[in-house]
Amino acid sequence: MKSLRAAIIGVIGLVGLATSGAPAIAADYPNRPVRWLIGFAAGGPVDVVARIMSQSLSEHFGQQFVVENRAGSGGNIAAATAVNSPADGYTLLFVAPNNAISTSLYKHLAFDFIRDTVPVASIMQLTNMLVVSKDMPVKTVAEFIDYCKANPGKVSYASSGYGTSVHMSGELFKAMTGINMVHVPYRGSAIAYPDIMSNKVQLIFDNLPGALEQTRAGNLRALGVTSLQRWPGVPDIPTIAETVPGFESVGFYGISAPKGTPPEIVETLNRAVNEALRDPKVVERLTAIGGIPKPMTPVEFGKLIADETEKWRKVVEFAGVSVD
């Protein structure tokens, strides 16, 4: 009987550990540095926003959120690294339109982004902006289209890699205007800017934070934003849709984690990000680079990713592009 009683007590103890383990982990999280994988080169718009948020999260938790740039393959190198990392909350992935686009653009990805990750938090919404070399003899979208038609195949546009919104904005523009431009992919938009400034490559449809920095510095000329309506941060810049009706390419930034990451840790991170997005100092920094903070629950962010994946699938099909 004593042995039976001891066994029962042992089983009860194990059940107690099983039911209390996850909350205990969440309560202790994070107790060491967290790495945040970024799919593009340092200095670009994704990197800039990641560093703003990582500073806030580091201060909130008292542990470092370390930005780790894994550039290449349109952000898929970083995504693959995240998917294959332990699902313990200590590896996160910066999520952007490239993750939604790659699902349909790349034909042989070794992972399924929606299946193999869990949504954590939304950061902000943003538009792209068409900026051109100051050596280009154009000052409006209409003049740019006319120039391209008069010089077929002689105009090249940079991107931050295949499958990014920067790339697909260019492909959508080509498809909707009938112009012929040459695509030149880089491992991040920051790397492309010296070539655009020197007119080796003539333009880029970059995420607003990067494009805005270059136009404010007087390095490039802004022609239009890719949102349907004029963007709040740059109301003086016309939309491309004012010249090309229906043209739209609006993106999002956020955080995901490997599938299997404990829900309690996801919720802990989500609350911290949403708290940061209510901090006037963080809001000021994000709006200064053209972003619109968009706090969401993990479920809401997951729906956004699913909706964006379907939206970009239609764009990929319309533009008729793919990457093997």
Side-chain angles (χ1 to χ4, degrees):
M1 289 299 293
K2 289 182 179 180
S3 299
L4 179 59
R5 187 182 304 112
I8 293 172
I9 291 173
V11 170
I12 292 172
L14 289 173
V15 172
L17 285 173
T19 57
S20 64
I25 292 172
D28 191 40
Y29 175 86
N31 57 22
R32 64 179 190 270
V34 177
R35 68 170 181 164
W36 192 3
L37 297 169
I38 313 300
F40 303 96
V46 167
D47 183 73
V48 169
V49 173
R51 293 182 189 279
I52 291 173
M53 294 303 299
S54 66
Q55 179 182 348
S56 178
L57 291 173
S58 296
E59 292 172 355
H60 176 89
F61 287 110
Q63 289 286 349
Q64 287 297 308
F65 278 65
V66 182
V67 172
E68 184 177 318
N69 299 90
R70 291 289 188 97
S73 188
N76 287 317
I77 291 176
T81 303
V83 164
N84 291 296
S85 296
D88 56 7
Y90 290 92
T91 299
L92 304 175
L93 176 69
F94 194 106
V95 183
N98 61 285
N99 301 111
I101 295 168
S102 292
T103 299
S104 53
L105 182 69
Y106 284 80
K107 302 307 179 186
H108 301 289
L109 284 179
F111 60 89
D112 182 309
F113 185 76
I114 292 180
R115 181 196 66 203
D116 296 332
T117 65
V118 293
V120 174
S122 164
I123 297 173
M124 71 183 208
Q125 186 180 34
L126 72 164
T127 184
N128 288 0
M129 185 159 70
L130 167 58
V131 291
V132 300
S133 163
K134 296 182 76 173
D135 291 335
M136 284 281 286
V138 299
K139 294 185 178 180
T140 67
V141 172
E143 289 178 357
F144 174 69
I145 294 171
D146 290 341
Y147 181 86
C148 290
K149 288 183 175 179
N151 298 274
K154 296 181 180 180
V155 175
S156 56
Y157 76 98
S159 81
S160 47
Y162 286 104
T164 61
S165 69
V166 183
H167 169 212
M168 291 309 302
S169 293
E171 293 296 330
L172 182 62
F173 189 83
K174 286 169 57 179
M176 293 184 71
T177 60
I179 65 172
N180 181 12
M181 297 189 297
V182 178
H183 176 218
V184 182
Y186 291 77
R187 291 168 66 87
S189 58
I191 302 172
Y193 277 117
D195 285 352
I196 303 171
M197 284 181 246
S198 64
N199 203 37
K200 291 179 182 177
V201 180
Q202 284 67 53
L203 64 129
I204 189 170
F205 291 81
D206 199 14
N207 294 168
L208 187 58
L212 195 56
E213 179 182 2
Q214 298 298 331
T215 57
R216 283 174 173 170
N219 296 327
L220 300 174
R221 181 182 300 124
L223 299 188
V225 294
T226 61
S227 50
L228 279 179
Q229 306 297 326
R230 294 202 179 197
W231 200 253
V234 285
D236 55 324
I237 304 297
T239 68
I240 293 174
E242 291 172 34
T243 303
V244 185
F247 183 90
E248 181 184 18
S249 176
V250 176
F252 65 96
Y253 285 168
I255 304 172
S256 284
K259 180 183 179 181
T261 299
E264 295 81 9
I265 289 179
V266 170
E267 289 292 341
T268 296
L269 286 165
N270 181 268
R271 286 194 298 269
V273 171
N274 289 350
E275 182 178 320
L277 296 177
R278 292 190 292 269
D279 182 338
K281 293 180 180 178
V282 174
V283 171
E284 181 181 6
R285 294 181 71 184
L286 294 179
T287 54
I289 56 177
I292 299 177
K294 289 287 183 181
M296 295 182 181
T297 66
V299 171
E300 290 170 337
F301 186 49
K303 183 179 185 306
L304 173 65
I305 292 173
D307 290 346
E308 287 288 308
T309 299
E310 176 60 17
K311 180 189 81 174
W312 285 108
R313 181 189 64 77
K314 294 177 180 178
V315 173
V316 167
E317 290 180 356
F318 177 77
V321 293
S322 66
V323 177
D324 292 330

